[in-house]
Amino acid sequence: MKNRIRLHALAAVAAVGLASPLLAQAQNKVNLGVAIPAATHSFAAGLVYWANEAKKELEKDPNIKVTIKTASGAPEQANQLQDLVTATKIDSLVVLPFESAALTRPVQQVKSKGVYVTVVDRGLTDTSAQDAYVSGDNTAFGKVPAEYLAKTLNGKGNIVALRGIPTTIDNERMDAFTGVMKNHPGIKILDAKHGNWNRDDAFKVMQDFLTRFKAIDAVWAADDDMAFGVLRAIEQAKRTDIKIVFGGAGAKAMVKTLMDGSNPLIQANVSYSPKFLYEAIKMTALARQKGEKLPATTIVPSVLITKQNAKDFYFPDSPF
């Protein structure tokens, strides 16, 4: 695929760079800003954790400085971007936009100051505002659950869907999901609403679905935090018609549930680890230290997680 490179190769390059301090000392200083959402739910907590892990590793080199800013909303993140440029005087930025549309112009303004910009995960609405993009495979994130649900339901049934925050990646996931379901006319998507990748919001959305729809066979909650909210709503409503709840991203509690077989509604998941932020920060810092650019797009594969391979995706020390 043109202009795309798989993550493991770049990670190997990054590891070589970190293992060569003499080489690093002879190269450029890097003042890197990192702007990400605050740890308001477990996936975001994972992002903050991995950002700080990257900072600790990179700052072993005195020529690299990393400043991390976390925001609870799009306006706060926009203000933080301005502060990183004017006060911290960064020359490089890794940003995971809180929202795509709202952060596109603020990121464009950063890039216009000569800052090298790597966008992670939630893309911008105008890609000219970035130099590089690193993300999980959001097409697979929607396609894998759809294929699994279609097979599990034998091509017939009623599904409700919970989407994330309105962003480019949410659109990619939903488009991929519905694209598969178009090939299965016996499956009806009753409704799809935004649960904002939030457990409490998803609980409320699922309560609404359970009130309005008396027969639901499966739920696609496009994030494990939302899936836990969905499970709580189903339990409180004492509904027994639902056969499967498919979440996403491989949260450790969800993967452990798969490993243990402790909830019959949880039968599979799809990988999408927040560790890609760690890789993006390291790759950006080391490339800029060498005066190099990253590939335009780096895609991290998203794969099906089942009881059989769940142990390979279980990281008990991570917050996510």
Side-chain angles (χ1 to χ4, degrees), residues 16-27:
V16 171
L18 283 175
S20 307
L22 293 178
L23 179 63
Q25 288 172 9
Q27 294 174 344

Side-chain angles (χ1 to χ4, degrees), residues 21 65-66 78 86 98 137 181 264 272 275 312:
K65 177 185 175 183
V66 179
T86 58
F98 200 95
D137 190 340
M181 289 307 177
Y272 199 92
K275 191 180 179 182
D312 298 330

Side-chain angles (χ1 to χ4, degrees), residues 130-160:
Q130 68 198 31
D131 293 286
Y133 177 65
V134 178
S135 177
D137 190 340
N138 288 289
T139 296
F141 193 97
K143 183 179 179 182
V144 167
E147 291 175 340
Y148 186 89
L149 290 174
K151 182 177 180 180
T152 302
L153 296 176
N154 294 315
K156 295 180 181 179
N158 295 324
I159 291 177
V160 292

Side-chain angles (χ1 to χ4, degrees), residues 21-291:
L22 293 178
L23 179 63
Q25 288 172 9
Q27 294 174 344
N28 301 323
K29 290 188 175 182
V30 176
N31 187 3
L32 174 70
V34 177
I36 57 178
T40 54
H41 60 284
S42 62
F43 187 84
L47 292 170
V48 175
Y49 170 83
W50 286 113
N52 281 291
E53 287 296 298
K55 174 182 171 70
K56 283 191 291 187
E57 287 196 31
L58 288 166
E59 289 189 341
K60 291 175 183 177
D61 183 337
N63 292 314
I64 299 177
K65 177 185 175 183
V66 179
T67 303
I68 300 172
K69 299 281 189 180
T70 62
S72 57
E76 182 182 11
Q77 190 174 52
N79 289 335
Q80 289 175 347
L81 290 175
Q82 185 177 20
D83 184 64
L84 283 168
V85 173
T86 58
T88 312
K89 300 188 183 305
I90 60 170
D91 52 55
S92 307
L93 172 70
V94 174
V95 56
L96 197 158
F98 200 95
E99 295 177 10
S100 296
L103 270 298
T104 295
R105 181 166 176 77
V107 175
Q108 282 175 326
Q109 291 172 340
V110 172
K111 190 173 186 293
S112 71
K113 302 296 184 182
V115 175
Y116 184 89
V117 175
T118 299
V119 173
V120 182
D121 191 43
R122 305 176 193 176
L124 302 173
T125 55
D126 182 356
T127 57
S128 69
Q130 68 198 31
D131 293 286
Y133 177 65
V134 178
S135 177
D137 190 340
N138 288 289
T139 296
F141 193 97
K143 183 179 179 182
V144 167
E147 291 175 340
Y148 186 89
L149 290 174
K151 182 177 180 180
T152 302
L153 296 176
N154 294 315
K156 295 180 181 179
N158 295 324
I159 291 177
V160 292
L162 288 87
R163 305 179 60 169
I165 291 172
T167 53
T168 58
I169 67 167
D170 179 69
N171 293 337
E172 289 175 40
R173 293 173 178 183
M174 192 64 193
D175 289 347
F177 187 86
T178 56
V180 171
M181 289 307 177
K182 287 177 183 177
N183 299 320
H184 300 278
I187 294 179
K188 184 178 181 181
I189 300 176
L190 299 173
D191 201 356
K193 287 193 173 181
H194 292 280
N196 302 317
W197 295 315
N198 180 279
R199 194 173 298 209
D200 293 334
D201 290 353
F203 174 74
K204 294 173 185 176
V205 170
M206 192 63 200
Q207 281 186 316
D208 173 64
F209 286 161
L210 292 169
T211 299
R212 291 193 290 124
F213 304 118
K214 301 307 178 184
I216 300 172
D217 295 293
V219 182
W220 177 48
D223 172 83
D224 283 333
D225 274 307
M226 293 196 298
F228 285 118
V230 166
L231 290 170
R232 182 159 61 97
I234 293 171
E235 182 180 5
Q236 286 192 9
K238 295 182 169 56
R239 287 283 286 267
T240 59
D241 50 319
I242 299 164
K243 303 176 181 67
I244 182 169
V245 174
F246 199 120
K252 66 179 181 181
M254 192 65 75
V255 174
K256 188 68 163 58
T257 300
L258 272 176
M259 292 167 64
D260 297 343
S262 56
N263 189 331
L265 292 178
I266 304 302
Q267 302 172 25
N269 204 277
V270 61
S271 64
Y272 199 92
S273 172
K275 191 180 179 182
F276 56 59
L277 178 66
Y278 165 91
E279 303 292 356
I281 293 169
K282 286 173 60 178
M283 291 187 297
T284 301
L286 295 170
R288 297 315 295 158
Q289 191 174 52
K290 298 174 185 177

